[in-house]
Amino acid sequence: MLTLSLIGIGCGDPEQLTRAAIRAINTADLVLIPRKGAAKSDLADLRRTICADVLTSDETAIAEFDLPVRDAGEADYRQGVDAWHDAVAATWSQTIARHLEGEGKVALLIWGDPSLYDSSLRIARRLDPLPKIEVVPGITSIQALCAAHALPLNDVGEPFLVTTGRRLRERGWPQGVDTVVVMLDGGTAFQSLDPTGLHIWWGAYLGMPDQILMSGRLADMGSRIVTARQEARERHGWIMDSYILKRRG
Ligand SMILES: C[S@@+](CC[C@H](N)C(=O)[O-])C[C@H]1O[C@@H](n2cnc3c(N)ncnc32)[C@H](O)[C@@H]1O
């Protein structure tokens, strides 16, 4: 029987690794590390660093694989994602088969936590035969963002909503909430909103040496964040950022 352990590793700071994560990595026979192209090699580097730091036995094999690239040109977004999940599942299966003979424990180091904007659980359920699936929770980028700004996420007794940049741009401010967390924003979707009464808490490369934090009234900070984001992206070749918007009366 194959066990697949999806281990949340936090979102950039190796100190966010929990003791449960360290234990799960050490009990694996095989750790899979995805390569996402040269521009995002820092992300694979963090996973390599974690393995080098926490592995106490040389019984655990490490296998890197090239993550298939999603066809962004696919007309139907969901169909495109579906095909991509199939391709990733096939790549996992091939990589596992090269190292294990149908049984053992495979670990995947998942950015942040596997439950939040991550498809590993959906992909794992496509494997045939279906492995036993285990999850070790990790610190999410939302927690890292709130901690970095020392910000309580919800207002007293109030809900919040987590969404993507694309959805915020397409549908505007969501109904029924005054606090919105925005992730996966390839641009700066907050620019599509009327900034009156809105405050923003923005963070890029959270938990990493180059972490950038900016916050204030959206009307004052919006264009400054756009510039800082563009400069940082040019410097690194990639950027990962998230933000919280709050509507004040
Ligand atoms: C594919 S999702 C993965 C989320 C992850 N599973 C989690 O628990 O945070 C990637 C998005 O998470 C956010 N993110 C992840 N790590 C981040 C970091 N270190 N700094 C800022 N945002 C981050 C960004 O919004 C990014 O576009």
Side-chain angles (χ1 to χ4, degrees):
M1 174 80 176
L2 199 70
T3 299
L4 185 64
S5 186
L6 303 180
I7 305 171
I9 57 167
C11 60
D13 179 356
E15 301 227 331
Q16 290 171 359
L17 268 189
T18 64
R19 292 213 298 220
I22 293 172
R23 193 166 47 244
I25 295 169
N26 271 300
T27 53
D29 300 298
L30 174 67
V31 180
L32 297 184
I33 297 188
R35 285 188 296 246
K36 301 185 181 183
K40 288 200 171 174
S41 62
D42 305 18
L43 307 185
D45 285 349
L46 180 80
R47 289 179 169 93
R48 287 186 202 111
T49 305
I50 285 174
C51 289
D53 283 354
V54 308
L55 274 175
T56 52
S57 138
D58 45 18
E59 302 279 288
T60 305
I62 298 176
E64 300 202 2
F65 66 95
D66 292 317
L67 194 70
V69 179
R70 185 162 67 80
D71 179 5
E74 179 87 51
D76 184 306
Y77 173 74
R78 283 188 190 273
Q79 263 176 23
V81 171
D82 214 40
W84 181 63
H85 287 175
D86 280 341
V88 177
T91 308
W92 287 4
S93 293
Q94 286 152 15
T95 314
I96 294 167
R98 274 201 289 276
H99 292 83
L100 298 178
E101 285 170 12
E103 61 181 53
K105 181 168 162 184
V106 180
L108 268 157
L109 308 187
I110 307 296
W111 200 260
D113 181 84
S115 67
L116 182 68
Y117 285 117
D118 186 276
S119 292
S120 311
L121 276 163
R122 280 178 280 268
I123 295 167
R125 295 204 167 97
R126 291 171 187 236
L127 296 178
D128 184 19
L130 191 66
K132 176 171 180 258
I133 298 170
E134 284 178 359
V135 173
V136 179
I139 303 283
T140 66
S141 46
I142 301 179
Q143 290 163 292
L145 179 63
C146 290
H149 283 286
L151 177 75
L153 179 52
N154 62 289
D155 292 332
V156 178
E158 295 297 327
F160 62 86
L161 185 135
V162 185
T163 190
T164 63
R166 173 195 176 118
R167 195 129 174 150
L168 186 70
R169 193 176 303 107
E170 285 174 4
R171 306 206 180 173
W173 188 270
Q175 284 193 340
V177 285
D178 289 322
T179 299
V180 177
V181 183
V182 185
M183 300 174 65
L184 288 164
D185 188 356
T188 43
F190 54 77
Q191 285 183 293
S192 63
L193 301 171
D194 172 1
T196 313
L198 294 182
H199 282 61
I200 186 165
W201 288 262
W202 177 79
Y205 314 104
L206 291 161
M208 299 181 211
D210 295 325
Q211 171 174 291
I212 313 173
L213 299 174
M214 293 173 82
S215 63
R217 291 180 344 139
L218 185 58
D220 301 332
M221 299 308 296
S223 58
R224 287 196 230 173
I225 293 174
V226 172
T227 307
R229 187 180 191 280
Q230 200 174 327
E231 286 172 1
R233 187 183 200 149
E234 278 163 22
R235 242 184 354 261
H236 287 257
W238 60 278
I239 190 161
M240 256 201 313
D241 61 337
S242 311
Y243 48 93
I244 294 166
L245 294 164
K246 282 181 182 278
R247 191 161 57 179
R248 301 289 192 214

